[in-house]
Amino acid sequence: MGFEIKRFQGDVDEELICPICSGVLEDPLQAPTCEHAFCRACITEWISRQPTCPVDRQAVTACQLRPVPRILRNLLSRLCTSCDNAPHGCNAVLKLDSLASHLVECEFNPKRPMSCEAGCGLVIPKDELAEHNCVRELRALIATQQGKLTDFQQELAEQRLTINEHKRELALLKEFMRAMRVSNPTMRALADQMEREEVVRWANSLARARVTRWGGMISTPDDALQVMMIKRSLSESGCPPHIIDDLMENCHERRWPPGLCSLETRQNNRRLYEKYVCKRVPGKQAVLVLQCDNTHVDEHMMVEPGLVMIFAHGIE
Amino acid sequence: MANIAAKRIKREFKEVMKSEEVAGGDIKLELVNDCWTELQGEIAGPPDTPYEGGTFLLEIKVPETYPFNPPKIRFMTKIWHPNVSSATGAICLDILKDQWAAALTLRTVLLSIQALLSAAEPNDPQDAVVAKQYRENPQLFNMTARHWTNIYAGGPTSVWEFNQKVQRLLDMGIDEHQARVALSTYDWELERATEQLFC
């Protein structure tokens, strides 16, 4: 819609007036053959109702509309107008083509965003600043956020419920597979492979660890205390259940491979330790040396599915 | 009222006021309310027509979607014309309907209605009875239109014979306008008009 004609200084030529809104042309377009010019908004609205030129009714479609000639645009941009915010006290008189940039920074814009300096720091339109009450606004804000929080909590509860359902289904499926596996060799191979992949996936999810003092190794850990704590940590890190018991057994030197099973062999093979790829048992002074990570290590230094080494200190 | 409609009407009102037609007494325009949604127009009956010398009032209602939709205009003064309903004053004129164009103004519309009085379009009638008479008995149509102009629009030509016939029905206790409509409809045959009124 065009600019109010009263805002302009002096007379505006009839050619610069939109025949639809009777204001001064704003972002004008013209019809292709008759070249009648209109504001973009006005002619778009008109053509959406009737595909004709509003002046002479020649057929026109929206895509046939063309920009007006440069001379017309120049004449328009030279017109001098008052600011949109003149009713709010702005006395600026501007060329039409600089109106847009002025409006962005006009001090008198009643809707100019201002930040409240009374303490709440909210950004509000200038004309609402006088009515603004920090406590009320902040209370409203808290209320909406609390509403959101409740929604999220509800969503979370629902998600948990679904996750639990999924877990139960998964357990059932696993049970089912185990049963299948007993009776069918192909299924057994498939399931073995899936289990192996599960171990690899888990192994990849764990962080690498470096042992700085191999001497701190505890070869005969206390079952009740140390081993149970390690087990819980492994379980929480997503250790596949079919290897967790074996791994826990492999915490103790009695289950360790020939190259590690006694103090003497350990002393002899000390230089081989550096070859181990170790994974951190989350939160514990312990490392996992999994078979799948250590296929390069000599057989007499490794057991299935891997070793757990508990240390007194020295894990990074 | 939408800003653009009010803006347009204000400007058009000024345009009409400054026009030479107003100066010449051909058309007039008045505001009915102060929100620019309702106006009253006035057109003079064109010379060399049965409407000559009459003054016809028009009711103009400006829709909120003006000028994307035409103003709603009807005759408030009763008129005998093929394209105007003798009962409601509704006008059958293409520019007030599907041929409306946003660049038309109250001034051009009033002038178009005035032109319609000079050049009726009996093939696209608003009032079938009037249109039939216009086609089949142009002389009688002329007289009837002149009579209506005299009675309702202050036209100069009084038709003595018609006045007598209306008076006869009036004496029988018939409402004056009803009597005139019946007589005009039945080509001023008193018997048929009476029959229709009393059946």
Side-chain angles (χ1 to χ4, degrees), chain B residues 24-37:
Chain B
D26 265 341
I27 59 174
K28 255 195 216 172
L29 192 60
E30 271 170 29
L31 279 172
V32 173
N33 60 16
D34 47 11
C35 53
W36 304 89
T37 55

Side-chain angles (χ1 to χ4, degrees), chain A residues 1-6 14 17 19-23 41-43 45-46 49-50 52-55 57, chain B residues 3-4 7-12 14 65-69 94-95 97-105:
Chain A
M1 308 292 153
F3 302 99
E4 184 75 51
I5 196 160
K6 281 188 220 134
E14 202 57 38
I17 304 288
I20 298 178
C21 67
S22 75
C42 295
I43 189 63
E45 170 81 25
W46 171 258
R49 290 158 193 261
Q50 206 167 308
T52 58
C53 168
V55 177
R57 300 202 202 96
Chain B
N3 186 30
I4 177 167
K7 207 165 88 177
R8 267 274 307 243
I9 294 295
K10 277 181 206 168
R11 199 173 140 84
E12 289 177 30
K14 276 186 212 144
T65 49
Y66 187 81
F68 298 106
N69 290 107
D94 56 359
I95 61 158
K97 292 177 179 141
D98 54 339
Q99 288 300 306
W100 168 252
L104 291 170
T105 63

Side-chain angles (χ1 to χ4, degrees), chain A residues 33-154:
Chain A
T33 45
C34 58
E35 299 185 348
H36 287 118
F38 313 92
C39 305
R40 179 188 293 272
C42 295
I43 189 63
T44 312
E45 170 81 25
W46 171 258
I47 283 189
S48 74
R49 290 158 193 261
Q50 206 167 308
T52 58
C53 168
V55 177
D56 57 20
R57 300 202 202 96
Q58 282 193 50
V60 181
T61 59
C63 55
Q64 288 174 324
L65 295 170
R66 297 274 166 274
V68 297
R70 183 196 297 273
I71 179 167
L72 186 56
R73 287 203 301 275
N74 287 349
L75 286 174
L76 280 167
S77 64
R78 256 177 239 163
L79 293 176
C80 287
T81 174
S82 60
C83 171
D84 288 18
N85 300 315
H88 303 286
C90 181
N91 294 320
V93 173
L94 309 131
K95 292 258 190 284
L96 199 50
D97 57 353
S98 56
L99 180 62
S101 59
H102 168 77
L103 285 177
V104 173
E105 55 202 30
C106 178
E107 291 284 327
F108 295 89
N109 179 2
K111 293 286 171 203
R112 209 157 78 97
M114 307 274 283
S115 71
C116 168
E117 278 165 15
C120 76
L122 292 175
V123 176
I124 35 184
K126 190 178 162 191
D127 61 344
E128 288 170 28
L129 202 59
E131 295 278 296
H132 171 71
N133 176 327
C134 296
V135 176
R136 195 181 53 213
E137 297 288 325
L138 289 174
R139 278 180 80 119
L141 194 68
I142 289 170
T144 52
Q145 297 205 335
Q146 237 152 14
K148 272 190 203 157
L149 201 64
T150 320
D151 290 347
F152 284 140
Q153 271 167 343
Q154 201 174 342

Side-chain angles (χ1 to χ4, degrees), chain B residues 67-102:
Chain B
F68 298 106
N69 290 107
K72 293 186 173 61
I73 304 186
R74 68 174 192 93
F75 272 91
M76 282 158 68
T77 306
K78 296 195 186 311
I79 181 169
W80 193 251
H81 186 282
N83 303 109
V84 183
S85 162
S86 58
T88 62
I91 306 169
C92 180
L93 182 60
D94 56 359
I95 61 158
L96 292 180
K97 292 177 179 141
D98 54 339
Q99 288 300 306
W100 168 252

Side-chain angles (χ1 to χ4, degrees), chain A residues 232-250:
Chain A
R232 190 178 309 147
S233 175
L234 287 181
S235 175
E236 279 167 5
S237 74
C239 173
H242 67 277
I243 58 165
I244 197 161
D245 288 333
D246 287 339
L247 280 177
M248 292 331 295
E249 286 296 318
N250 295 352

